[in-house]
C-alpha cells in the first residue's frame, strides 16, 4: 500500500515533490528542533490519484489519515472533537512550486457547538472562542461549501450596524453568538442541510476542497504564467492550530530574512497583534514593521532573529517565514525560499558569497536568468520634473505608466486593445491575477509589502506601489482622489515601485544604472561558462550596447535592415526593378559605399571580436510597395486619366510586384537563392564587407569578419559563393594593399542542410543555427502564422508542451542540430558552431546548446546578460537541465 500521509517528523526538505514545498519545509523545521505546531502532510500523489479516480479519495487514504491523526493527537495531547480538550487544525494546500494565495486554506477546523465551549473554557475567553467559530464557519462555507463570501460579509456588517460598532473586534459575545446562528441559518438555506458538526466529516470535506482548489481558475492561470506542470497536484498540510488572536500578547506575522525588494541584509517583515492567519497577507489591515516587535516583545524578537538566522544558514537561501505568537510563545508556521526582485536576487546571491555562506556556483544558480531583464530596463529619469501626487510603499521596483483602471477584467480588456494600463485597487486578491498580468504595474491603497499585490507583482517583475493610504478610491464613480486632485478611469499616471511615488501623467525614462553586485555576479558567470555569448546587432549603436552588456562577438548582422532607410530604399527598389544588368549595376554602385559605411561602423565597434555578417536573406518583394495598395492606386490613376506618365510608372511597378509575388514567400525566392539568381547583389555586399575590413585593418584595428550564407540546402551553393568570395577578397587586398583575415560559413536553417552537414562543412568554417527558420522548416509551421492561428490550441491541449518558437523543440529541431554538429565536426573537427535564432537568448534552450557542445549563442543585446548567466548555470549545474519543469 502506498504511503499517502507523513507526519512532520517523518519528512525532509528534499521530499518536496511528494510533500509539496510547505510540507517538506515544515518537516525539515520540525527535525531541526524549531517550534513548529505538530501535524501531518497528505502527499501530492494522493491528490493525483484523487483526480485519476474521478475525484474520489484513493483507497486507503481515509484510513491512513485517521491512523496518523491519532499520532498527532497523542503528540499534542488533544483530540479532534474531544469535549474536554479539543484539537483544532488548519488545513492548507502546499504545491511543489510555491503558488502564493492561489489555493485554499481553512483555519480552526474541529470547532462545533460543543468544542467551541471547551475552547472558551480552556482559554477563559468566550469572546475569542465565538470569534474563532464564526471565522471558521465563514471560511469553511466559502472554500468547502462554495457559498459566496459576500453573503457572510453582509451578515457581519449588518450585525455591526445593529449594535452600532465599526470594527470586528468590537463585536460583543452576544453579537457573535447571534452572528453564528445567522451564519448557520444561511448555510442551511443554501445547502439544504445543517452546517457539518462532526469534526472528522469537516476534515475530510476540507481535504477534498483543497484537492479541488488545485484546479480553480486562479491556480490554473498562475500555473500557465509560471510554466508549472498542471499534473503535479497539491499536498495538503494538516497542522494543529496556534492562535495569534488570543489577546494582546498574541499576534501573527510574515518576515523575510533579507529585504525582498532591495536585497539588503536586514530582517524584513510585518506583523499584526491579536490577529489570525491570513490577516497579514490579505492586505486588509496595514501591519506593523517587524522592528516594532523589538519594542513590543523584546524576548520574542530576539528568539525570532535567532531562528531566522538558523533557517537562513540551514537552507543557504533567503527565507520567507510565517510565524504566530500565542500568549507570548513563538511558533513557526511555514518557511520557504523567499520570492525577490531581480535587484534583491543579485544582491543576496552576491552578499552570501561575501559572507562565505554559499559558493560562487551556488550564487549563480540562485538568480533566475530571465529576472535580469528587470534590471536592464529603463527607469524614471531623475532629472525630469515630476508631478508627484502621493507616496506609498515601494513594493516592487521599476517604473510604469498607463491608463488608470479599477478592476482586473477592465485591465485585461483594455490591455488587449494595445493600451498600457495601471491597475489601481484598494487591495488585490488572487482573483485579480489576470489583471496584474495585463497591467504595466499595480497601485493599492491598502496592504503592506507582503500583501498579495506586492508578492505577485514582485514575482512577475512588475512595478508595484502598495499601502498608498492617501489615495481614496471610489469604485462606483471610477476615480480616486488625493486631497483636491481627482484621477479618473482612463487618466494617465505613473508609479515608481523603487521609491513608492505616484506621479500624474507619463514620465520620461532613462537607461538603468547597474550595481557592482551585478557586475561581480556576471563576471563569475563568465568564469564558469564555456559557451561564448554573442549578440544579434545590425547597427553600430546596437553593437556598442551588446559589447557593453558583455557580448564577445556578433553572431548575426541581418543586412536587410540596412536596405530600409530612406537614403537607400530608392536604390534598392531601382536595383530590384532594373530591366538590364547595367541598370542593376548602377543601383548597386550607389548602395556599395552606403553598405561599406554600415559595416565600417559595426566592425570598428567590435574590434578584436568576430562579427558574423549575413548576406541578403528576405524575399525582394519586402522592399517594394504592397500589392493591394498598388492595385488601388493604379486603378485610381487609370480612372482619373489625369497623369499618364505617372500611370505608366505605376503600371510597370505593379507588373514587377506581380512578377515577384509568391504564394509561399518563406519557402520561396529568398536566402542564398537570391544570391544565385542575382549574384551581383551578394558581390556588392561582400565587397562592402571587405572594403570596410581593409580600411580598418589599414587604420590599425584587428577586424574579424565572418561572411555568412543563409538558407543553404547543398554544398554546391557554398561552392558557388566560395569562389566569388575568394576572388573579391583578392581584389580588395590588391586595391588596399593590405592583407586581412576572414572566414566563410553558413546558416543551418533547413533539415537538408542539417542532414548534409558533413558535406556543407567542406566549404564552411562555421555553422550558425538559424533556429527560427529551422523550427519552421522542421515542423512545417509557418513562423508568421503559427502563433496567431493554431499554436494556442496546441499548447492548451498540451499537444506541444511549449511554443517551439520560444523554447527550442529538442526532440525535432534539437535532434537536427545534434546531427549537424556531429556530421559537421566529422568533416572539420575545428568547425565553429553557434545559434542565432531567438532561442539563443532563452535560458532552457541555452542549456540545451551547452550540452550539445556549441561554441556560441547569439541573442539581442538586452538578452546578453541573461544568456551569460544561463550559460554559466548550464555549466555549473552538471547535467541537470534547468528551465524546464
Ligand atoms: C533564423 O532563421 O533563426 C534567423 C536567425 O534568421 P531570420 O530570423 O532572420 O530568418
Ligand atoms: Mg532565418
Amino acid at each position: 500500500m502506498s504511503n499517502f500521509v507523513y507526519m512532520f517528523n517523518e519528512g525532509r526538505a528534499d521530499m518536496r515533490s511528494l510533500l509539496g514545498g510547505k510540507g517538506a519545509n515544515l518537516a525539515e523545521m520540525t527535525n531541526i528542533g524549531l517550534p513548529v505546531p505538530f501535524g501531518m502532510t497528505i502527499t501530492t500523489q494522493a491528490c493525483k490519484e484523487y483526480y485519476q479516480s474521478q475525484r474520489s479519495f484513493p483507497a486507503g487514504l481515509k484510513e491512513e489519515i485517521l491512523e496518523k491523526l491519532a499520532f498527532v493527537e497523542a503528540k499534542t495531547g488533544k483530540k479532534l472533537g474531544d469535549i474536554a480538550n479539543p484539537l483544532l487544525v488548519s488545513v492548507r494546500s502546499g504545491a511543489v512550486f510555491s503558488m502564493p494565495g492561489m489555493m485554499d486554506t481553512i483555519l480552526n477546523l474541529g470547532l462545533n457547538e460543543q468544542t467551541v465551549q471547551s475552547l472558551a473554557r480552556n482559554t477563559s475567553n468566550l469572546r475569542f472562542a465565538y470569534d474563532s467559530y464564526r471565522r471558521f464557519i465563514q471560511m469553511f462555507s466559502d472554500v468547502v461549501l462554495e457559498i459566496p463570501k459576500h453573503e457572510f460579509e453582509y451578515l457581519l456588517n449588518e450585525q455591526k450596524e445593529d449594535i452600532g460598532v465599526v470594527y470586528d473586534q468590537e463585536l460583543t459575545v452576544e453579537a457573535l453568538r447571534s452572528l453564528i446562528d445567522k451564519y448557520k441559518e444561511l448555510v442551511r438555506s443554501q445547502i439544504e442541510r445543517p452546517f457539518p458538526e462532526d469534526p472528522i466529516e469537516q476534515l475530510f470535506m476540507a481535504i477534498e476542497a483543497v484537492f479541488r482548489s488545485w484546479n480553480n481558475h486562479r491556480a490554473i492561470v498562475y500555473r500557465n504564467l509560471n510554466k508549472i506542470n498542471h499534473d503535479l497536484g497539491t499536498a495538503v498540510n494538516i497542522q494543529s492550530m496556534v492562535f495569534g488572536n488570543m489577546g494582546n500578547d498574541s499576534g501573527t506575522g510574515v518576515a523575510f530574512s533579507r529585504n525582498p525588494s532591495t536585497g539588503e541584509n536586514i530582517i524584513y517583515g510585518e506583523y499584526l497583534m491579536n490577529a489570525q492567519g491570513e490577516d497579514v497577507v490579505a492586505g486588509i489591515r496595514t501591519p506593523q514593521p517587524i522592528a516594532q516587535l523589538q519594542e513590543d516583545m523584546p524576548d520574542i524578537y530576539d528568539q525570532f532573529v535567532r531562528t531566522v538566522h538558523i533557517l537562513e544558514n540551514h537552507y543557504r537561501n533567503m527565507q520567507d517565514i510565517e510565524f504566530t505568537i500565542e500568549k507570548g510563545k513563538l511558533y513557526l508556521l511555514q518557511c520557504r525560499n523567499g520570492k525577490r526582485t531581480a535587484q534583491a536576487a543579485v544582491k543576496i546571491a552576491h552578499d552570501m558569497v561575501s559572507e562565505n555562506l554559499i559558493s560562487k556556483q551556488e550564487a549563480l544558480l540562485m538568480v533566475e536568468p530571465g529576472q535580469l531583464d528587470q534590471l536592464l530596463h529603463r527607469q524614471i529619469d531623475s532629472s525630469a520634473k515630476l508631478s508627484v501626487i502621493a507616496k506609498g510603499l515601494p513594493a516592487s521596483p521599476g517604473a510604469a505608466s498607463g491608463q488608470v483602471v479599477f478592476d482586473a477584467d477592465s485591465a485585461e480588456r483594455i490591455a488587449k486593445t494595445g493600451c498600457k494600463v495601471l491597475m489601481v485597487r484598494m487591495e488585490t486578491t488572487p482573483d485579480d491575477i489576470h489583471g496584474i498580468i495585463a497591467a504595466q504595474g499595480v497601485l493599492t491603497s491598502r496592504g503592506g509589502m507582503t500583501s498579495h499585490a506586492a508578492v505577485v507583482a514582485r514575482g512577475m517583475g512588475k512595478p508595484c506601489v502598495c499601502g498608498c493610504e492617501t489615495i481614496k478610491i471610489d469604485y462606483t464613480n471610477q476615480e480616486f482622489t488625493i486631497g483636491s486632485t481627482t484621477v479618473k478611469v482612463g487618466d494617465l499616471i505613473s508609479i515608481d515601485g523603487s521609491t513608492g511615488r505616484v506621479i500624474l501623467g507619463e514620465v520620461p525614462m532613462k537607461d538603468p544604472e547597474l550595481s557592482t553586485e551585478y557586475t561581480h555576479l556576471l563576471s563569475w558567470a563568465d568564469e564558469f561558462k564555456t559557451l561564448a555569448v554573442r549578440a544579434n546587432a545590425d547597427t553600430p549603436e546596437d553593437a556598442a550596447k551588446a559589447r557593453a552588456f558583455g557580448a564577445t562577438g556578433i553572431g548575426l548582422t541581418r543586412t536587410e535592415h540596412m536596405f530600409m532607410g530612406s537614403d537607400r530604399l530608392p536604390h534598392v527598389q531601382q536595383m530590384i526593378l532594373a530591366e538590364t544588368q547595367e541598370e542593376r549595376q548602377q543601383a548597386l554602385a550607389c548602395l556599395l559605399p552606403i553598405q561599406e559605411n554600415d559595416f565600417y561602423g559595426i566592425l570598428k565597434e567590435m574590434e578584436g571580436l568576430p562579427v558574423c555578417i549575413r548576406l541578403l536573406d528576405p524575399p525582394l518583394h519586402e522592399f517594394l510597395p504592397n500589392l493591394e495598395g498598388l492595385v488601388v492606386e493604379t486603378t485610381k490613376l487609370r480612372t482619373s486619366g489625369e497623369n499618364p506618365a505617372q500611370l505608366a510608372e505605376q503600371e510597370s511597378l505593379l507588373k514587377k510586384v506581380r512578377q515577384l509575388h509568391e504564394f509561399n514567400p518563406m519557402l520561396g525566392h529568398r536566402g542564398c537563392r537570391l544570391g544565385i539568381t542575382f549574384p551581383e547583389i551578394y558581390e556588392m555586399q561582400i565587397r562592402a564587407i571587405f572594403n570596410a575590413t581593409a580600411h580598418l585593418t589599414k587604420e590599425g584595428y584587428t577586424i574579424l569578419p565572418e561572411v555568412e550564407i543563409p538558407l543553404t540546402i547543398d554544398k554546391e551553393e557554398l561552392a558557388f559563393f566560395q569562389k566569388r568570395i575568394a576572388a573579391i577578397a583578392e581584389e580588395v587586398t590588391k586595391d588596399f594593399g593590405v592583407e586581412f583575415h576572414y572566414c566563410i560559413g553558413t546558416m543551418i536553417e533547413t533539415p537538408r542542410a542539417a542532414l548534409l552537414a558533413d558535406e556543407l562543412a567542406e566549404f564552411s568554417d562555421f555553422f550558425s543555427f538559424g533556429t527560427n527558420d529551422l523550427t519552421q522548416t522542421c515542423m512545417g509551421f509557418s513562423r508568421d502564422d503559427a502563433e496567431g492561428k493554431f499554436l494556442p490550441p496546441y499548447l492548451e491541449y498540451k499537444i506541444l508542451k511549449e511554443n517551439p518558437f520560444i523554447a527550442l523543440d529538442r526532440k525535432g529541431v534539437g535532434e537536427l542540430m545534434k546531427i549537424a554538429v556531429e556530421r559537421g565536426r566529422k568533416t572539420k573537427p575545428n568547425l565553429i558552431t553557434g545559434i542565432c535564432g531567438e532561442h539563443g537568448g532563452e535560458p532552457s534552450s541555452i542549456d540545451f546548446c551547452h550540452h550539445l557542445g556549441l561554441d556560441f549563442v547569439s541573442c539581442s543585446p538586452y538578452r546578453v546578460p541573461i544568456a551569460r548567466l544561463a550559460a554559466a548555470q548550464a555549466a555549473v549545474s552538471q547535467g541537470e537541465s534547468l528551465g524546464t519543469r
Side-chain angles (χ1 to χ4, degrees):
M1 199 184 85
S2 48
N3 215 3
F4 286 128
V5 188
Y6 288 74
M7 286 183 303
F8 289 172
N9 57 348
E10 294 177 321
R12 286 187 318 273
D14 62 4
M15 289 167 73
R16 68 185 286 137
S17 66
L18 196 61
L19 302 180
K22 186 179 292 179
N25 285 332
L26 282 167
E28 188 77 8
M29 287 197 292
T30 304
N31 292 333
I32 58 175
L34 294 175
V36 176
F38 199 62
M40 60 194 189
T41 303
I42 301 173
T43 62
T44 52
Q45 183 59 26
C47 179
K48 283 188 220 168
E49 292 192 23
Y50 167 82
Y51 280 103
Q52 280 156 10
S53 47
Q54 275 71 47
R55 299 187 175 225
S56 60
F57 277 23
L61 175 60
K62 284 192 176 171
E63 292 75 6
E64 209 188 328
I65 293 171
L66 293 176
E67 199 184 297
K68 296 281 164 75
L69 179 66
F71 284 106
V72 175
E73 289 174 335
K75 180 109 181 163
T76 56
K78 298 179 182 175
K79 203 166 171 344
L80 205 63
D82 189 52
I83 301 198
N85 200 10
L87 173 69
L88 301 184
V89 294
S90 63
V91 179
R92 294 170 195 252
S93 59
V96 178
F97 298 104
S98 147
M99 296 170 57
M102 291 299 133
M103 288 177 291
D104 292 326
T105 289
I106 296 152
L107 304 176
N108 304 332
L109 187 139
L111 281 175
N112 59 23
E113 286 298 344
Q114 272 134 20
T115 53
V116 74
Q117 296 305 336
S118 326
L119 182 64
R121 212 175 37 247
N122 294 346
T123 58
S124 312
N125 192 340
L126 183 58
R127 193 197 169 281
F128 160 75
Y130 278 161
D131 190 42
S132 303
Y133 194 24
R134 73 103 193 148
R135 285 171 187 254
F136 167 58
I137 297 172
Q138 194 167 338
M139 217 179 243
F140 190 92
S141 301
D142 168 29
V143 172
V144 182
L145 307 175
E146 297 178 355
I147 304 172
K149 250 193 283 222
H150 64 83
E151 307 240 10
F152 293 90
E153 290 292 337
Y154 177 80
L155 291 176
L156 175 65
N157 289 332
E158 199 180 54
Q159 190 72 40
K160 285 192 280 192
E161 269 171 34
D162 277 358
I163 64 162
V165 298
V166 178
Y167 298 108
D168 299 2
Q169 303 95 291
E170 297 171 306
L171 285 168
T172 57
V173 168
E174 296 70 36
L176 284 166
R177 177 68 250 179
S178 145
L179 190 57
I180 289 166
D181 294 337
K182 286 180 193 160
Y183 275 6
K184 288 193 164 183
E185 204 37 58
L186 172 64
V187 171
R188 184 193 289 275
S189 72
Q190 294 268 342
I191 62 166
E192 292 171 2
R193 57 156 284 192
F195 185 83
E197 286 279 300
D198 172 11
I200 297 291
E201 188 189 7
Q202 292 173 355
L203 180 63
F204 287 143
M205 289 174 83
I207 292 167
E208 182 164 9
V210 173
F211 282 163
R212 278 200 313 264
S213 73
W214 173 253
N215 274 332
N216 67 30
H217 175 67
R218 57 181 199 261
I220 292 171
V221 172
Y222 187 90
R223 288 200 295 272
N224 284 338
L225 179 72
N226 291 284
K227 296 213 180 91
I228 297 174
N229 187 333
H230 292 289
D231 300 329
L232 296 175
T234 180
V236 185
N237 297 293
I238 299 159
Q239 188 172 25
S240 45
M241 287 291 303
V242 283
F243 294 95
N245 55 342
M246 272 201 175
N248 290 333
D249 56 354
S250 302
T252 186
V254 182
F256 293 88
S257 56
R258 301 182 188 222
N259 185 315
S261 191
T262 63
E264 206 185 352
N265 188 5
I266 291 181
I267 296 179
Y268 191 85
E270 295 156 337
Y271 69 102
L272 278 170
M273 292 312 283
N274 202 7
Q276 194 180 30
E278 308 295 283
D279 292 349
V280 178
V281 275
I284 291 162
R285 280 159 63 189
T286 299
Q288 298 284 320
I290 197 86
Q292 180 69 31
L293 188 63
Q294 196 166 13
E295 285 177 25
D296 288 353
M297 303 180 98
D299 292 347
I300 290 282
Y301 180 78
D302 289 347
Q303 189 193 348
F304 183 67
V305 171
R306 278 196 307 277
T307 308
V308 168
H309 289 144
I310 292 173
L311 284 172
E312 210 183 60
N313 284 318
H314 185 76
Y315 286 103
R316 302 147 75 84
N317 204 327
M318 189 268 263
Q319 295 300 299
D320 167 353
I321 299 152
E322 277 181 30
F323 63 96
T324 284
I325 304 158
E326 184 187 88
K327 288 190 169 291
K329 186 165 168 10
L330 175 71
Y331 292 95
L332 298 188
L333 301 188
Q334 153 154 232
C335 84
R336 60 186 167 200
N337 291 344
K339 291 208 184 294
R340 61 205 81 175
T341 62
Q343 186 193 341
V346 169
K347 180 160 171 57
I348 290 169
H350 173 271
D351 290 356
M352 284 187 168
V353 172
S354 314
E355 294 158 22
N356 286 324
L357 193 56
I358 58 173
S359 65
K360 283 183 187 174
Q361 289 95 322
E362 285 172 295
L364 289 166
L365 290 170
M366 206 182 253
V367 180
E368 181 93 27
Q371 263 195 320
L372 294 182
D373 211 25
Q374 290 171 35
L375 299 178
L376 306 170
H377 283 290
R378 295 162 69 77
Q379 297 163 354
I380 293 181
D381 183 348
S382 54
S383 65
K385 267 220 162 86
L386 305 175
S387 166
V388 178
I389 49 173
K391 204 152 179 227
L393 299 170
S396 180
S401 301
Q403 289 182 17
V404 169
V405 290
F406 289 100
D407 65 282
D409 290 343
S410 307
E412 190 177 56
R413 182 172 39 78
I414 298 171
K416 268 195 187 139
T417 67
C419 288
K420 293 186 170 161
V421 297
L422 268 180
M423 191 157 81
V424 182
R425 302 274 306 156
M426 290 182 192
E427 72 251 344
T428 64
T429 71
D431 286 329
D432 293 321
I433 182 143
H434 56 298
I436 304 179
I437 294 172
Q440 303 296 310
V442 185
L443 167 63
T444 67
S445 59
R446 292 205 291 242
M449 297 281 281
T450 47
S451 63
H452 177 265
V455 171
V456 173
R458 273 202 294 276
M460 289 184 198
K462 296 208 175 195
C464 174
V465 172
C466 63
C468 187
E469 296 191 358
T470 48
I471 69 169
K472 303 286 169 247
I473 300 176
D474 178 349
Y475 288 136
T476 317
N477 290 315
Q478 293 276 290
E479 63 183 34
F480 70 83
T481 50
I482 308 129
S484 57
T485 311
T486 302
V487 177
K488 293 199 162 298
V489 65
D491 287 354
L492 268 177
I493 62 162
S494 303
I495 55 168
D496 180 356
S498 317
T499 60
R501 289 177 299 176
V502 181
I503 303 148
L504 217 49
E506 220 171 340
V507 293
M509 308 269 191
K510 67 168 177 41
D511 281 339
E513 282 145 23
L514 296 167
S515 64
T516 48
E517 287 91 352
Y518 164 93
T519 314
H520 284 161
L521 190 83
L522 281 167
S523 72
W524 301 339
D526 293 340
E527 264 173 50
F528 289 100
K529 73 179 170 52
T530 53
L531 274 169
V533 176
R534 298 195 190 182
N536 294 354
D538 309 335
T539 61
E541 295 73 36
D542 276 357
K545 193 164 280 165
R547 202 166 184 158
F549 281 142
T552 51
I554 300 280
L556 175 64
T557 291
R558 291 178 163 102
T559 52
E560 61 268 26
H561 295 161
M562 301 170 182
F563 280 23
M564 289 295 189
S566 57
D567 57 334
R568 36 200 88 189
L569 193 59
H571 303 303
V572 174
Q573 292 183 339
Q574 191 193 350
M575 166 191 89
I576 298 169
L577 299 172
E579 296 294 341
T580 62
Q581 181 124 16
E582 290 75 54
E583 263 186 79
R584 178 163 302 119
Q585 288 292 10
Q586 235 174 29
L588 287 167
C590 296
L591 280 171
L592 177 67
I594 302 177
Q595 281 261 280
E596 188 178 323
N597 195 40
D598 293 331
F599 296 139
Y600 180 91
I602 295 173
L603 290 166
K604 190 171 171 182
E605 280 296 342
M606 298 307 287
E607 197 239 345
L609 298 174
V611 177
C612 180
I613 300 173
R614 178 177 76 187
L615 303 180
L616 194 65
D617 181 49
L620 293 181
H621 72 80
E622 286 192 9
F623 302 102
L624 295 178
N626 96 12
L627 181 62
E628 286 92 359
L630 263 184
V631 170
V632 173
E633 268 187 42
T634 315
T635 313
K636 268 192 204 153
L637 278 173
R638 204 176 286 137
T639 41
S640 80
E642 277 170 10
N643 196 338
Q646 201 189 346
L647 176 63
E649 215 174 274
Q650 275 300 112
E651 278 179 331
S652 117
L653 183 60
L654 180 61
K655 190 169 145 215
K656 193 75 191 181
V657 170
R658 281 208 164 112
Q659 269 172 16
L660 289 174
H661 178 75
E662 289 178 300
F663 288 105
N664 208 337
M666 271 293 169
L667 296 179
H669 195 174
R670 59 170 287 219
C672 68
R673 299 154 212 171
L674 282 174
I676 290 180
T677 45
F678 302 111
E680 53 286 3
I681 300 179
Y682 272 22
E683 281 166 16
M684 179 278 289
Q685 289 196 296
I686 295 160
R687 194 174 298 278
I689 296 169
F690 290 159
N691 280 354
T693 304
H695 230 117
L696 285 158
T697 310
K698 262 191 130 164
E699 288 171 23
Y701 295 99
T702 306
I703 300 299
L704 304 169
E706 300 174 343
V707 180
E708 182 172 66
I709 316 291
L711 213 73
T712 44
I713 52 145
D714 199 281
K715 68 172 178 177
E716 293 306 331
E717 290 166 328
L718 290 174
F720 179 93
F721 295 114
Q722 200 192 43
K723 274 191 244 126
R724 287 167 167 75
I725 295 169
I728 296 169
E730 216 173 283
E731 278 172 39
V732 173
T733 305
K734 265 201 211 119
D735 289 352
F736 282 79
V738 65
E739 296 276 338
F740 54 86
H741 176 88
Y742 70 93
C743 56
I744 305 174
T746 184
M747 293 190 71
I748 304 286
E749 297 181 288
T750 62
R752 194 172 197 272
L755 296 172
L756 301 188
D758 47 346
E759 296 185 13
L760 266 57
E762 290 171 32
F763 295 89
S764 306
D765 301 312
F766 65 87
F767 284 170
S768 179
F769 291 97
T771 45
N772 303 331
D773 272 312
L774 192 57
T775 301
Q776 164 168 266
T777 54
C778 169
M779 305 189 87
F781 283 0
S782 156
R783 60 193 267 193
D784 296 321
D785 299 315
E787 285 167 293
K789 298 229 160 53
F790 54 82
L791 256 183
Y794 264 68
L795 298 172
E796 189 185 334
Y797 304 142
K798 302 196 191 84
I799 296 170
L800 288 176
K801 282 217 177 72
E802 290 190 277
N803 178 342
F805 291 103
I806 294 176
L808 195 88
D809 160 52
R810 296 169 189 218
K811 278 193 188 162
V813 179
E815 190 63 18
L816 285 172
M817 291 170 72
K818 189 163 168 255
I819 290 170
V821 171
E822 277 166 13
R823 294 187 186 172
R825 286 199 179 138
K826 207 175 265 170
T827 305
K828 193 170 273 178
N830 58 351
L831 182 81
I832 300 285
T833 56
I835 179 174
C836 63
E838 286 305 301
H839 308 89
E842 193 278 319
S844 76
S845 310
I846 293 172
D847 182 69
F848 177 78
C849 293
H850 169 85
H851 289 105
L852 200 58
L854 297 193
D855 296 291
F856 71 83
V857 295
S858 188
C859 54
S860 73
Y862 276 106
R863 295 195 75 79
V864 165
I866 296 170
R868 285 164 70 197
L869 181 57
Q873 291 190 344
V876 301
S877 65
Q878 289 162 345
E880 256 176 64
S881 193
L882 290 168
T884 47
R885 283 173 170 176

